[in-house]
Amino acid sequence: MDIGKIYNVSSPVIGAEELRFRGAEGTSDGRFASILDAAKQQLSETNSYLNTQEEEEVKFSLGLTENAHDLAIAQAKAKASLQYTVALRDKFLEAYKEIVQIQM
C-alpha cells in the first residue's frame, strides 16, 4: 500500500462542494459541515501519527535513541489511524455510490 499520497491532503474539490452545499449565503444546517470537519481532522491526525512514526524510525535507525518502545507505540498509532482513515474513505465512497444510483 502506497501511503505517500495521504500526506498533506488538501482537496479543492471538497472545499468547492462545501461552498456549494452552503450556498451563496454560507448557511447550512451544520450536518455536512460537521462531517467534513471531522474528516479533515482525521486526515490531520493521521498525518501527524505518520510523521511521528517516521521521525521515530529515523531516530532509531540512526542510533539517536535506543528506546524501541517509543518506536513500537508510534507505529501502532500510525497503523490504527491509517486503517481508520481508509475505512472512513471506503464508507464515504460507498455512500457516494449509493447516492449516485438513486433514481430521480
Side-chain angles (χ1 to χ4, degrees), residues 2-91:
D2 180 23
I3 60 173
K5 296 177 184 173
I6 294 178
Y7 287 103
N8 301 322
V9 173
S10 63
S11 173
V13 175
I14 292 174
E17 283 301 309
E18 181 182 13
L19 289 176
R20 185 183 68 78
F21 179 79
R22 290 178 185 240
E25 300 83 27
T27 60
S28 74
D29 59 5
R31 286 181 276 169
F32 180 77
S34 66
I35 292 171
L36 184 63
D37 289 340
K40 287 178 183 178
Q41 178 62 31
Q42 179 63 33
L43 285 173
S44 296
E45 187 176 317
T46 300
N47 284 338
S48 173
Y49 286 139
L50 290 170
N51 289 336
T52 301
Q53 173 192 352
E54 188 175 326
E55 290 171 6
E56 289 296 328
E57 287 173 349
V58 168
K59 285 181 194 176
F60 190 76
S61 63
L62 292 175
L64 299 176
T65 183
E66 295 178 7
N67 191 352
H69 185 70
D70 288 341
L71 175 59
I73 290 172
Q75 289 174 332
K77 283 182 178 180
K79 181 180 178 183
S81 184
L82 184 60
Q83 287 175 339
Y84 181 76
T85 302
V86 169
L88 186 64
R89 180 209 59 195
D90 292 345
K91 287 294 182 183

Side-chain angles (χ1 to χ4, degrees), residues 83-102:
Q83 287 175 339
Y84 181 76
T85 302
V86 169
L88 186 64
R89 180 209 59 195
D90 292 345
K91 287 294 182 183
F92 274 125
L93 289 175
E94 183 180 318
Y96 174 76
K97 288 177 184 177
E98 285 184 27
I99 291 170
V100 168
Q101 291 177 356
I102 294 174

